[in-house]
Amino acid sequence: MAGAARDTPAGQEEEHRLSICSKLCYAIGGAPNQVAGSAAAFFLQIYLLDIAHITPFHASLVLFVGKASGAFTDPVAGFFISKSRWTRIGRLMPWMLACTPFTVVSYFFMWYLPPFVSGRAAWYVTFNCLFQALTTLFQVPYSALTMFLSTDQKDRDSATAYRMTMEVLGTLIGAALQGQIVASAHVSHHCTVNPPVNTTDSWHDTTSIPDPSDILSHQAKVYMIAAGVIGGVYLLGIVVLFLGVKEKDDPYALSSDRAIPFCKGLGLTMKHGPYVKLTASFLLISTAVQLEQSNFVLFCTQASGLRNHFQYLVVTILVSAAVSVPFWQKILQRFGKKCAACGISWMIPFAVMLVTIPNLILAYLVAFVSGLSIAASLLLPWSMLPDVVDNFRLQNPHGKGQETIFYSSYVFFTKMSAGIGLGISAAGLEFTGYKPGICRQSDDVILTLKILIGAVPGILIFMGLFILFFYPITEQSRKETKLALEELRRSHQSTENLDDHKKDTSV
C-alpha cells in the first residue's frame, strides 16, 4: 500500500532510484486531469454555443472566469499545502485524495444541461469555476510531487517524461472518448459539406442543430454520457496513484532547514531570474496552444468544410503528440532543453497553410505536425521547472517549502493568460456575429476563426521562444548545480554526525 518513506540522508543511491512501476503509477495518476482538460479544451466552447445555446459573450465569461478561478486557486493552494504537516501517507497525497470525488461531481454538472434557459450561463460559470479550482487543488501537489520522488535529476527527468507521455495519452483518450461519443450531436443532414456558390441568407440561417429544450434531448444525453465515463477515469487514476507512489519526506532539503514564510518565499520566487524567464516564455506558448485547441473544432465545422472529419483530426493531433514524447525526451537529453524548444515552432507554417488552403490531406498533415509541437510544449516546462528549483535551492540552501510555490505560481500565470486568451477569442466571435447552430457562419466569423488558428498562435509562440533564448540554465550549469547540491548535503551530514559524536562523548 502507498504511504510515505522518510529517507535518511546517508541512504544509499539505490534507495533513491525510482522503479519503472513507480514512474508508471505516478504518470497514470496525473492522466485523468488531462483527459478532462482535453475534452473541455476541444469541446466546451462548441458545447456552450451549439448545445447549451448561450451567447458567445456568455461563453467567453464561462471560459475566462473558469480559468481565472483556477488561476487564483493556485497561490492559495500553494500557501496551504506549504503549511501542511507530514501525515502517515505524506504531505501532498491527502490533498489529491480529498479533492478527487468533488472534482468528479463538478465535472459532470459542467456538462449537464439544466432544464431552465435564462440562468444557464450562471450554471456553467459556477460549475466550471468549481471544476477548475478543484483540478488546481489536485494539480499543484501532484506537480510538486516530482521533487519528492527522488533527489536525482535523471530520475526526475525520467519520471517527468513518463508523466508527459501518459498525460498526452490522457489528452488523446479524453479527446477520442469525447469526440466519438458526442460526434452525433454535431452532424446534421440539413447542411451540405460543399455549399452552392450562390449561397443565400436563408441557407446561412438554416439551423443545423435543434435547440435542446430539455435534458432528454439526444445532444444533451451524449455529452452527459461522456462526462460520466471521464468521471470514472478520475477515480481509477487516483487509486493507482495512491497504491503505487511513495512520497518521501522532503528529500530535497537539509534536515535543519526551516520553512520560509509564504509571502517572503513568493517574493524570492518572483525575483529568481531563471524562473521569471521560463514562466514568461511558456505563458505565451501555452496560451497559443490553448487557442489552437479551443478553436480547432469550431474551425473545422464552421470555416473549412471539415465537419465530418473533426473528431479524426483531433485524434490525429493527439496520437502524434503521444508517440513523439519519447522522441523529444531523447532530443532534450542529447541536444539540451533549449534546443528542443525550437520544435514548438514547427506547427506555425502548417497552420498558416491550412487557413489559407483548406484541404483534407493538408488538414491531416497539419494535425500531425501540430501534435509534435504540442508534445514539446507539454514536456519542456515541467522538465525545466525542477532545474529552476535546484538552482534556487543552491542560492538559498537553508530554506524549505518552496517547491509548491514555484509550481503553483507557474500554473497561476499560465492559467490566467490562457483564460484571457480564450475569453478574448470567444468575445471576438460575439463581436463578429457568431450564430449558434446555423449551417454556415458569416465571412467575418470565418476570418476570425482563421486568425485565431493561424496568426495569433504563431505570434505568441515566436514571442515565447524569443524570451526562452535568454533562459540562463544550460546543460553544463545543470551538472554543476547537481554536484554542488550533493556536496552541500554531504558536508551537512558530516557536520551533523560530528555534532552527534560530541554529544555522545559529553554524556
Side-chain angles (χ1 to χ4, degrees), residues 7-28:
D7 287 5
T8 61
Q12 296 181 349
E13 183 69 19
E14 288 76 9
E15 295 176 355
H16 295 279
R17 303 296 296 181
L18 285 175
S19 66
I20 294 178
C21 180
S22 295
K23 295 174 185 176
L24 279 174
C25 290
Y26 171 65
I28 291 171

Side-chain angles (χ1 to χ4, degrees), residues 241-296:
L241 179 67
F242 177 68
L243 295 178
V245 176
K246 292 182 179 181
E247 178 187 345
K248 298 177 181 178
D249 184 15
D250 205 356
Y252 187 65
L254 304 178
S255 59
S256 62
D257 291 344
R258 294 182 179 180
I260 300 176
F262 180 81
C263 292
K264 181 181 178 181
L266 184 61
L268 292 172
T269 300
M270 294 298 103
K271 294 177 183 177
H272 192 57
Y275 179 73
V276 172
K277 291 181 176 66
L278 180 69
T279 302
S281 171
F282 281 97
L283 179 150
L284 296 169
I285 292 171
S286 65
T287 302
V289 173
Q290 285 280 338
L291 284 172
E292 194 86 17
Q293 287 181 325
S294 181
N295 292 288
F296 186 76

Side-chain angles (χ1 to χ4, degrees), residues 428-478:
L429 295 176
E430 167 83 9
F431 178 76
T432 53
Y434 182 91
K435 294 181 181 180
I438 67 173
C439 288
R440 188 178 186 277
Q441 301 293 333
S442 67
D443 291 340
D444 290 340
V445 172
I446 293 174
L447 177 61
T448 301
L449 287 170
K450 288 181 177 181
I451 293 173
L452 292 173
I453 285 292
V456 176
I459 293 171
L460 292 175
I461 288 173
F462 275 129
M463 291 172 61
L465 292 177
F466 177 76
I467 295 173
L468 193 63
F469 178 77
F470 299 98
Y471 176 72
I473 298 179
T474 63
E475 296 306 301
Q476 182 62 33
S477 65
R478 285 180 66 227

Side-chain angles (χ1 to χ4, degrees), residues 367-384:
F368 175 78
V369 176
S370 296
L372 299 178
S373 296
I374 288 173
S377 71
L378 290 174
L379 174 64
L380 285 170
W382 298 112
S383 179
M384 297 167 84

Side-chain angles (χ1 to χ4, degrees), residues 93-158:
M93 189 67 72
W95 289 87
M96 294 180 276
L97 289 172
C99 70
T100 297
F102 300 101
T103 305
V104 173
V105 173
S106 64
Y107 181 78
F108 177 81
F109 282 110
M110 190 174 74
W111 299 97
Y112 175 81
L113 188 69
F116 49 84
V117 177
S118 59
R120 281 183 184 174
W123 173 278
Y124 291 116
V125 167
T126 300
F127 283 103
N128 192 26
C129 286
L130 284 174
F131 172 70
Q132 295 290 345
L134 288 166
T135 54
T136 296
L137 288 176
F138 180 95
Q139 192 66 29
V140 170
Y142 175 77
S143 302
L145 186 59
T146 308
M147 303 303 301
F148 298 92
L149 297 175
S150 174
T151 57
D152 185 78
Q153 289 181 347
K154 289 185 178 179
D155 262 348
R156 294 203 304 257
D157 283 347
S158 177

